């Protein structure tokens, strides 16, 4: 339908190596992407530091935030972006200070996806920007969630 969607699911599990299954049989979209990240050392309860923030819009500068302030200085921020563009390469940049988990922006599709994380070292607000997308009239959805680390 020409619009983008991004979803971020999380689950706290007691042991590593848990498998993730994505059932695509009910998807109506022709294109989709997924990425997963396993994180150890998170809080054992109330794992979200602050309420996740999202942004949906059109244009070439997908940004979400500011969010915060975070409650603790030991927080991991996980951001996701889904973009539909007018050109075949979305040109998604990794947000400043973040590590990319997965990106899809090849020359065969005008659909772009990115998942990135950053370990925050101080309490404060956080804005996540994926740079300037190539093309024009891009539709995007992006969001960021904040997870508390266990006490050290």
């Amino acid at each position: 339908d020409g619009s983008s969607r991004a979803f971020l699911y999380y689950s706290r599990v007691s042991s590593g190596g848990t498998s993730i299954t994505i059932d695509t049989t009910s998807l109506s979209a022709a294109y989709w992407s997924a990425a997963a990240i396993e994180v150890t050392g998170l809080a054992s309860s109330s794992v979200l530091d602050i309420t996740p923030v999202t942004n949906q819009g059109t244009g070439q500068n997908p940004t979400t935030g500011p969010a915060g302030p975070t409650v603790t200085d030991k927080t991991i921020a996980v951001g996701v972006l889904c973009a539909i563009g007018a050109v075949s390469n979305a040109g998604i940049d990794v947000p400043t200070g973040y590590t990319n988990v997965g990106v899809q922006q090849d020359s065969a599709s005008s659909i772009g996806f990115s998942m990135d994380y950053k370990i925050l070292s101080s309490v404060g607000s956080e804005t996540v920007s994926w740079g300037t997308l190539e093309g024009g009239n891009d539709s995007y959805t992006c969001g960021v969630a904040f997870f508390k680390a266990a006490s050290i």
Side-chain angles (χ1 to χ4, degrees):
D1 65 5
S3 62
S4 62
R5 293 174 182 87
F7 301 95
L8 179 69
Y9 297 98
Y10 72 93
S11 176
R12 194 172 178 294
V13 294
S14 59
S15 63
T18 302
S19 63
I20 299 170
T21 302
I22 300 172
D23 181 359
T24 61
T25 57
S26 64
L27 292 177
S28 61
Y31 304 102
W32 61 273
S33 294
I37 181 174
E38 182 177 344
V39 178
T40 60
L42 294 179
S44 59
S45 64
S46 302
V47 72
L48 284 177
D49 190 342
I50 58 174
T51 303
V53 294
T54 60
N55 187 23
Q56 187 172 29
T58 58
Q60 292 180 269
N61 301 99
T63 300
T64 188
T70 56
V71 176
T72 176
D73 61 349
K74 296 171 183 69
T75 297
I76 182 170
V78 179
V80 294
L81 165 69
C82 180
I84 299 174
V87 298
S88 60
N89 186 342
I92 298 170
D93 294 328
V94 176
T96 301
Y98 280 69
T99 299
N100 183 258
V101 175
V103 65
Q104 193 303 117
Q105 59 177 349
D106 63 30
S107 60
S109 172
S110 60
I111 306 295
F113 171 83
S114 185
M115 180 178 187
D116 311 276
Y117 76 91
K118 177 181 179 181
I119 299 172
L120 305 179
S121 59
S122 62
V123 173
S125 296
E126 183 73 8
T127 298
V128 186
S129 175
W130 284 267
T132 302
L133 301 178
E134 294 181 18
N137 301 317
D138 295 286
S139 166
Y140 63 83
T141 303
C142 54
V144 62
F146 301 88
F147 301 94
K148 290 188 287 191
S151 298
I152 296 177

